[in-house]
Amino acid sequence: MSHEDTHHHHHHRLLLLLFLTVLLLLPFTTADDSSVMSKLLTTLTPPPSTWTGTDFCSWDGINCDNSKRVTAINLGSKSLTGTLPADLNQLTQLKTLSLQKNSISGDLPSLSNLTFLEKVLLDANNFTSIPNNFFLGLSNLQSFSISDNLNLAPWQIPTDLTQSSNLQSFEASNANIIGSIPDFFDNFPNLQSLRLSYNNLTGSLPESFGGSEIQNLWLNNQKQGLSGDVHVLGSMTQLYQVWLQANAFTGPVPDLSKCGNLFDLQLRDNQFTGLVPKSLMGLGNLVNVTLRNNELQGPVPEFRTGVEVDVSSNSFCLPAPGDCDPQVTVLLEVAGGVGFPASLAESWKGNDACAGWTFVSCDSSGKNVTSLNFAKQKFSGIISPALANLTSLRSLTLNDNNLTGVIPKVLTTLPNLQLFDVSNNNLSGPVPEFGRSVRFSHDGNPFLGQTIASGPGGSPGTVPSSGGSGGSGSGSPKGSSVSAGMIAGIVVGVVVFIGIVLFVFCKCCGKKRHQKFNRVDNPEIGKELVKPSVVGSSSNGYGGGFSELQSQSSGDHSEMHVFEGGNVTISIQVLRQVTNNFSEDNVLGRGGFGVVYKGELHDGTKIAVKKMESGVMGTKGLNEFQAEIAVLTKVRHRHLVALLGYCIDRNERLLVYEYMPQGTLSQHLFEWSEHKTPPLSWKQRVSIALDVARGVEYLHSLAQSSFIHRDLKPSNILLGDDMRAKVADFGLVKNAPDGKYSVETRLAGTFGYLAPEYAATGRVTTKVDVFAFGVVLMEIITGRKALDENLPDERCHLVTWFRRVLISKENILKAIDQTLETEDEETLDSISKVAELAGHCTAREPFQRPDMGHAVNVLGPLVEQWKPSRPEEEDGYGIDLHMSLPQALQRWQADEGTSRTFDMSFSHTQSSIPSKPSGFADSFDSMDCR
Ligand SMILES: *[C@@H]1O[C@H](CO)[C@@H](O)[C@H](O)[C@H]1NC(C)=O
Ligand SMILES: *[C@@H]1O[C@H](CO)[C@@H](O)[C@H](O)[C@H]1NC(C)=O
Ligand SMILES: *[C@@H]1O[C@H](CO)[C@@H](O)[C@H](O)[C@H]1NC(C)=O
Ligand SMILES: *[C@@H]1O[C@H](CO)[C@@H](O)[C@H](O)[C@H]1NC(C)=O
Ligand SMILES: *[C@@H]1O[C@H](CO)[C@@H](O)[C@H](O)[C@H]1NC(C)=O
Ligand SMILES: *[C@@H]1O[C@H](CO)[C@@H](O)[C@H](O)[C@H]1NC(C)=O
């Protein structure tokens, strides 16, 4: 300070100055609080009896700090009436405001900018309004309650609340809230209690509930009723008490098997439909369930003894537990395929499908279902293979809906079928062959009948992939010639692949600067490797031989889910127009798949159009296109890039995405100077990492079925104007199998990010993405690319180098991106935690890597830590959880145990791998750049 400098020279003037300063400042600091406090003394009627004298710090219920600033007002249950002074937020040191259970009335004052405020309890009073900026800047708010204030003017849950990232409990039942529940719950990693019963909230449950830590969710008894389905509960794994009763929710009760702590589930008085999932009955901690007064169908659920349960007033098939009639069982499974729509639930009750169920007709005996007519019902979902059990079925009309997935091949076995109409849907996969007696209409399904061509010379499409019981005579010779071709294909593929790898190796480490080589998924190899599994799955009856995604789904139809909301098809003319006829000027980027263009619609909405030419890409482009559509329609998450629509124009396949104005993470990390943008701050980087972790976590475990991205890297991470990130490019996504099993798959992805076991064996689990995420973290820390041909050999492969640097405790500071400010402890500490995480994520063995949930947990607090921090304040519980960098390194090393030298040669694992994929191991070996 300048006082220090002037001290010796201007001793007297300084004293005078100090004296004046004290004179001026002291009265003001205390005067602020004393003026507010004396107002409070007059606005509260009657004031607490002990509130006498001018020393408000000694008043009952008031706590002050050393400088006589008020830190707490504790006046709960004091029978107070009156109002609060409008300038209450001048008490800038306030941490606790506790006024519950009084009869204080009038407008609430704003609490904006009370950055120390942690606890605000206002419930059971008679306040009349909440000002708009009430929650502005409450960055330390942990608990808030305003329940039971019946005279509040209608208000909405304000978005300012997102600044309160430490929020643990928000309680506003019976408080006249209107509007929808904002979709911002990924801002509150610590929120455990959300109580909003008895309001007039409308709309559906926000997606951001998914993956939250909420334990107590009270949303019951909304006046008009919350609506929509409640699938998001399935991913709220911490749920303990769920009160959704007396609303207007629809759709089926979701699978809550991940919510192992669930104790109390109140779903009564809604419009839930469908079967009660068996998994609900298996929840060990559940003791209280009400399902009363819904439209639940199927067998009456049977809970274990000790569970208090009310299932009355539903549409169950029987009055008591027991199996439904077989035709009823089948029809309910069919209804499940289209998401148990309300229109069916109203009619499909009881145990006799011939008792006048809508869309169902029976024969003259009134026993056997002969016709099912779903035409033009706006149904979306799949055609259930269970239909094959309705053996009397003569007419099946499903036309003009939004059905997706494959036409179950097993339907060809229906002996009495005469009419089968699936026209004008969104079905895909092979067209099954029905007998001559069946009138089969399937026009208007753009993806139907498109199959993988079986390599050069192979005949596409129409060759039935499994002749099965039918024409067995000509089947076998054909089969053997195909498999000979396949073996040849594998050999060729492996040779080509090794060639590519050698090529990349030269490019990477030979310091040849020109020509970058990013993507190494050779379509030929991919095709041949995936083939065995496709053949395998086609033998199970329906489907098969199509794309990976579909063949896998068709193998286990429980994996198929109802797609919500139809895709929007956009005409090629429109896309030409908005992209200025795909002008070079509009190119946003290029990849192995094609070119991405920027476009602008008439209303100013910006879009990104990804144009893939199957002529160039062969079948792979087409498969990726279909895979992407199938996946993206299923997956919606704020950290995943949304698909807005698509277009098919002869050979061209186009996808329309939301436009991400700030481009790729890659540009911001590695090319910021070319793009004339400032380098990313550490705060931005951690926040981006957390966004990515959340998006990928959703893909892995939170989406209704699990997916693996397989090509996570900075150029697939897109940024919005707020520098929040979304994960893009699901072209390589593949439906993950349940459980831990890995799928053998074609090798896709990008060198530098490939997990060792993936490169070596082609087997993929979610841990492949965790590895790639670890690499991205390293890039975020170092500002270096996963593979950098400009660097000397020992540094060109980032993972190897980074792990080596960390383990040998070589100067870590050298590894950190030069553009980052690393002066302060906090940043270094944060970096070291991310470095540690990156190390764990890139562990050699998949089982040593954490799952993405762990990454979210590690990164979450680091992002919060970066909210504006308090200036000084030593109030006893300062955060001393910070580890110094050396400590962090030490711990990390300890965690690593004995495996001290990590190198990227996998020669030991290689020996146990069958001959075919060893080419991968060899090639990966060379990535060590030694
Ligand atoms: C809160 O702080 C912001 C920025 O520091 C300021 O612009 C605003 O006027 C303050 N609001 C109130 C109500 O004091
Ligand atoms: C709440 O305030 C209203 C006036 O705003 C008054 O009429 C009513 O009696 C008060 N209720 C209670 C419980 O104090
Ligand atoms: C609840 O809110 C809806 C829509 O905001 C409104 O139409 C309705 O009148 C409200 N109901 C009550 C009882 O306030
Ligand atoms: C179950 O819920 C009902 C209604 O909410 C309540 O009365 C009852 O005490 C609860 N039972 C248990 C065991 O918690
Ligand atoms: C359909 O029939 C098969 C074989 O008879 C049986 O295994 C299956 O459970 C039936 N499916 C339904 C939904 O009834
Ligand atoms: C109804 O179906 C059963 C078995 O599917 C069959 O045995 C019976 O003959 C059918 N009844 C009529 C009237 O067609």
Side-chain angles (χ1 to χ4, degrees):
M1 281 210 174
S2 59
H3 301 275
E4 296 293 325
D5 302 334
T6 54
H7 187 265
H8 302 292
H9 312 289
H10 309 286
H11 193 77
H12 295 285
R13 277 172 64 184
L14 176 68
L15 270 183
L16 184 64
L17 191 70
L18 270 178
F19 178 70
L20 282 175
T21 312
V22 167
L23 255 188
L24 286 172
L25 285 182
L26 248 186
F28 273 122
T29 43
T30 51
D32 272 1
D33 281 4
S34 70
S35 97
V36 177
M37 291 310 286
S38 59
K39 273 186 209 159
L40 188 61
L41 179 66
T42 57
T43 59
L44 289 180
T45 52
S49 53
T50 58
W51 283 24
T52 53
T54 52
D55 181 14
F56 52 83
C57 291
S58 67
W59 293 351
D60 255 14
I62 307 298
N63 293 352
C64 293
D65 62 13
N66 295 336
S67 8
K68 306 212 68 168
R69 304 298 313 276
V70 175
T71 57
I73 298 179
N74 283 303
L75 294 174
S77 305
K78 297 275 190 229
S79 310
L80 302 172
T81 57
T83 60
L84 298 179
D87 51 358
L88 195 69
N89 70 344
Q90 307 276 306
L91 302 177
T92 56
Q93 303 300 308
L94 200 61
K95 278 191 195 166
T96 301
L97 179 62
S98 169
L99 299 171
Q100 74 280 13
K101 297 185 184 148
N102 288 292
S103 297
I104 306 173
S105 56
D107 298 339
L108 276 166
S110 172
L111 300 182
S112 63
N113 292 353
L114 290 182
T115 49
F116 296 152
L117 200 57
E118 289 170 1
K119 198 165 160 190
V120 178
L121 307 181
L122 304 171
D123 39 308
N125 276 289
N126 195 11
F127 292 113
T128 47
S129 77
I130 298 192
N132 284 337
N133 59 358
F134 189 79
F135 291 95
L136 186 69
L138 299 189
S139 50
N140 275 302
L141 189 64
Q142 290 170 13
S143 317
F144 175 77
S145 72
I146 197 163
S147 296
D148 302 312
N149 277 274
L150 301 177
N151 290 317
L152 274 177
W155 59 294
Q156 304 205 9
I157 302 174
T159 46
D160 284 343
L161 199 58
T162 53
Q163 297 165 0
S164 309
S165 55
N166 293 326
L167 199 64
Q168 288 166 14
S169 112
F170 188 89
E171 303 185 359
S173 293
N174 232 333
N176 224 353
I177 309 180
I178 57 169
S180 55
I181 305 175
D183 191 6
F184 62 14
F185 285 86
D186 43 3
N187 289 286
F188 311 117
N190 302 316
L191 186 63
Q192 293 180 359
S193 180
L194 183 66
R195 302 186 177 185
L196 302 169
S197 311
Y198 294 94
N199 285 299
N200 190 12
L201 289 166
T202 49
S204 55
L205 300 186
E207 280 307 312
S208 56
F209 273 173
S212 74
E213 301 287 306
I214 296 175
Q215 296 173 3
N216 294 75
L217 183 66
W218 292 9
L219 298 172
N220 52 294
N221 295 81
Q222 303 301 321
K223 285 197 181 93
Q224 179 172 309
L226 287 160
S227 54
D229 70 40
V230 300
H231 70 270
V232 72
L233 295 182
S235 53
M236 299 174 71
T237 55
Q238 303 305 311
L239 285 175
Y240 174 74
Q241 188 168 48
V242 178
W243 289 4
L244 300 182
Q245 70 268 27
N247 275 294
F249 288 115
T250 54
V253 175
D255 174 11
L256 300 176
S257 52
K258 286 182 183 163
C259 313
N261 300 330
L262 194 63
F263 141 81
D264 185 8
L265 180 65
Q266 304 291 321
L267 300 179
R268 66 179 157 83
D269 302 306
N270 278 289
Q271 286 131 46
F272 288 113
T273 55
L275 306 178
V276 178
K278 289 218 167 64
S279 59
L280 189 63
M281 281 76 100
L283 287 179
N285 288 316
L286 198 60
V287 299
N288 207 344
V289 191
T290 61
L291 301 172
R292 169 159 47 93
N293 198 18
N294 279 291
E295 291 171 10
L296 296 168
Q297 297 155 291
V300 173
E302 222 178 341
F303 290 85
R304 60 187 165 75
T305 49
V307 181
E308 197 170 312
V309 58
D310 182 354
V311 299
S312 57
S313 302
N314 273 292
S315 307
F316 296 124
C317 61
L318 295 168
D323 289 342
C324 304
D325 170 78
Q327 286 192 140
V328 168
T329 304
V330 170
L331 284 171
L332 288 178
E333 196 161 327
V334 173
V338 292
F340 295 114
S343 56
L344 289 183
E346 278 153 26
S347 162
W348 288 20
K349 305 173 173 181
N351 207 23
D352 183 0
C354 293
W357 285 18
T358 52
F359 310 135
V360 177
S361 312
C362 296
D363 62 8
S364 53
S365 74
K367 295 233 155 52
N368 293 351
V369 174
T370 54
S371 154
L372 184 66
N373 182 355
F374 279 173
K376 301 183 183 168
Q377 292 304 315
K378 298 192 174 131
F379 287 166
S380 54
I382 59 147
I383 301 173
S384 170
L387 279 166
N389 291 25
L390 294 177
T391 49
S392 303
L393 205 59
R394 290 202 287 265
S395 160
L396 181 54
T397 32
L398 309 174
N399 53 292
D400 295 278
N401 285 292
N402 190 20
L403 300 174
T404 47
V406 299
I407 301 173
K409 191 173 184 210
V410 67
L411 297 187
T412 58
T413 63
L414 280 169
N416 295 306
L417 196 63
Q418 293 166 8
L419 173 66
F420 183 35
D421 190 349
V422 294
S423 51
N424 302 321
N425 278 291
N426 215 349
L427 296 161
S428 50
V431 183
E433 282 194 3
F434 287 87
R436 278 208 205 111
S437 55
V438 183
R439 239 167 65 221
F440 175 34
S441 317
H442 56 80
D443 292 346
N445 287 282
F447 302 135
L448 202 58
Q450 307 196 352
T451 59
I452 295 178
S454 52
S459 41
T462 49
V463 176
S465 51
S466 57
S469 51
S472 55
S474 64
S476 50
K478 203 178 249 172
S480 65
S481 77
V482 165
S483 63
M486 201 172 78
I487 291 166
I490 291 173
V491 172
V492 170
V494 168
V495 168
V496 168
F497 184 83
I498 291 172
I500 290 173
V501 163
L502 286 174
F503 177 70
V504 174
F505 175 62
C506 294
K507 289 292 169 192
C508 163
C509 297
K511 297 182 198 171
K512 288 171 189 166
R513 306 212 165 197
H514 46 270
Q515 169 104 31
K516 291 181 183 171
F517 195 102
N518 281 332
R519 228 169 146 103
V520 286
D521 41 0
N522 183 324
E524 292 306 313
I525 300 165
K527 220 184 305 165
E528 300 304 333
L529 278 180
V530 77
K531 211 144 191 188
S533 71
V534 168
V535 171
S537 73
S538 70
S539 62
N540 65 9
Y542 33 88
F546 181 46
S547 74
E548 291 176 24
L549 197 88
Q550 259 119 3
S551 64
Q552 174 139 6
S553 309
S554 61
D556 174 7
H557 54 78
S558 70
E559 284 285 284
M560 286 187 163
H561 288 277
V562 183
F563 297 173
E564 283 161 5
N567 278 320
V568 186
T569 29
I570 300 177
S571 81
I572 188 76
Q573 284 82 7
V574 169
L575 293 182
R576 283 219 179 91
Q577 217 176 348
V578 301
T579 58
N580 197 8
N581 204 11
F582 300 108
S583 134
E584 263 325 278
D585 297 340
N586 287 36
V587 171
L588 289 171
R590 295 170 202 275
F593 45 77
V595 186
V596 183
Y597 297 88
K598 181 176 163 179
E600 190 164 346
L601 304 180
H602 293 305
D603 65 359
T605 312
K606 293 208 174 74
I607 55 172
V609 182
K610 181 158 139 187
K611 184 174 169 197
M612 292 175 287
E613 286 174 33
S614 47
V616 179
M617 296 302 299
T619 54
K620 172 170 154 269
L622 185 59
N623 296 339
E624 283 196 11
F625 180 70
Q626 284 163 333
E628 260 196 289
I629 288 205
V631 169
L632 284 177
T633 41
K634 278 189 189 183
V635 176
R636 280 287 146 99
H637 188 271
R638 65 166 48 208
H639 297 307
L640 299 174
V641 173
L643 176 65
L644 303 175
Y646 67 94
C647 168
I648 298 173
D649 182 55
R650 276 158 299 175
N651 278 342
E652 287 180 343
R653 309 276 180 267
L654 302 103
L655 290 173
V656 180
Y657 291 100
E658 65 179 315
Y659 174 65
M660 298 290 288
Q662 291 298 329
T664 68
L665 174 61
S666 179
Q667 289 163 356
H668 286 268
L669 274 183
F670 310 125
E671 295 149 31
W672 52 271
S673 62
E674 290 99 294
H675 287 88
K676 304 205 164 52
T677 53
L680 293 170
S681 70
W682 179 246
K683 177 182 161 180
Q684 287 171 319
R685 293 179 199 216
V686 194
S687 157
I688 289 166
L690 177 60
D691 292 350
V692 173
R694 285 191 165 136
V696 177
E697 182 193 34
Y698 182 84
L699 278 182
H700 285 179
S701 56
L702 304 177
Q704 290 173 338
S705 53
S706 188
F707 297 101
I708 301 172
H709 188 292
R710 299 205 293 175
D711 199 15
L712 194 61
K713 56 181 174 181
S715 57
N716 281 336
I717 295 166
L718 303 184
L719 299 171
D721 267 329
D722 50 1
M723 299 310 270
R724 301 301 297 264
K726 298 191 189 207
V727 178
D729 199 352
F730 300 100
L732 301 169
V733 166
K734 184 171 164 56
N735 229 340
D738 259 341
K740 302 179 191 87
Y741 306 104
S742 60
V743 219
E744 200 171 295
T745 171
R746 64 187 176 152
L747 190 69
T750 306
F751 271 143
Y753 304 85
L754 289 183
E757 79 281 3
Y758 184 24
T761 68
R763 295 193 145 251
V764 57
T765 64
T766 52
K767 294 299 174 70
V768 163
D769 286 346
V770 176
F771 186 96
F773 179 70
V775 181
V776 173
L777 290 180
M778 290 176 179
E779 296 181 300
I780 280 176
I781 294 167
T782 60
R784 285 183 194 171
K785 293 182 184 174
L787 284 179
D788 193 339
E789 63 263 43
N790 298 330
L791 287 172
D793 291 5
E794 72 277 4
R795 290 179 157 208
C796 95
H797 187 237
L798 180 62
V799 175
T800 317
W801 174 74
F802 189 83
R803 293 184 63 112
R804 211 177 275 147
V805 163
L806 281 187
I807 285 169
S808 62
K809 281 198 224 171
E810 274 172 33
N811 196 349
I812 172 76
L813 281 169
K814 261 192 206 158
I816 299 174
D817 191 341
Q818 307 270 304
T819 68
L820 287 173
E821 306 230 340
T822 50
E823 314 300 307
D824 64 304
E825 268 282 309
E826 210 166 31
T827 310
L828 272 181
D829 190 61
S830 176
I831 292 176
S832 82
K833 283 190 176 123
V834 177
E836 184 188 13
L837 177 64
H840 289 317
C841 288
T842 52
R844 187 161 82 189
E845 301 296 337
F847 69 87
Q848 293 174 321
R849 296 175 211 145
D851 53 30
M852 290 310 291
H854 175 81
V856 170
N857 289 340
V858 170
L859 294 168
L862 298 182
V863 170
E864 274 147 54
Q865 190 173 308
W866 277 94
K867 300 279 172 185
S869 57
R870 303 182 188 195
E872 23 79 23
E873 193 77 331
E874 358 63 61
D875 59 332
Y877 55 93
I879 311 153
D880 36 21
L881 303 169
H882 302 277
M883 254 189 301
S884 73
L885 191 60
Q887 279 172 317
L889 288 173
Q890 224 167 2
R891 208 181 94 189
W892 182 53
Q893 229 176 344
D895 287 352
E896 284 293 292
T898 49
S899 66
R900 288 189 41 244
T901 50
F902 178 90
D903 69 25
M904 292 298 275
S905 72
F906 300 100
S907 39
H908 1 303
T909 48
Q910 185 188 328
S911 59
S912 62
I913 292 162
S915 57
K916 176 183 62 175
S918 69
F920 297 122
D922 285 335
S923 55
F924 204 80
D925 215 358
S926 61
M927 299 312 294
D928 194 27
C929 319
R930 280 169 305 167

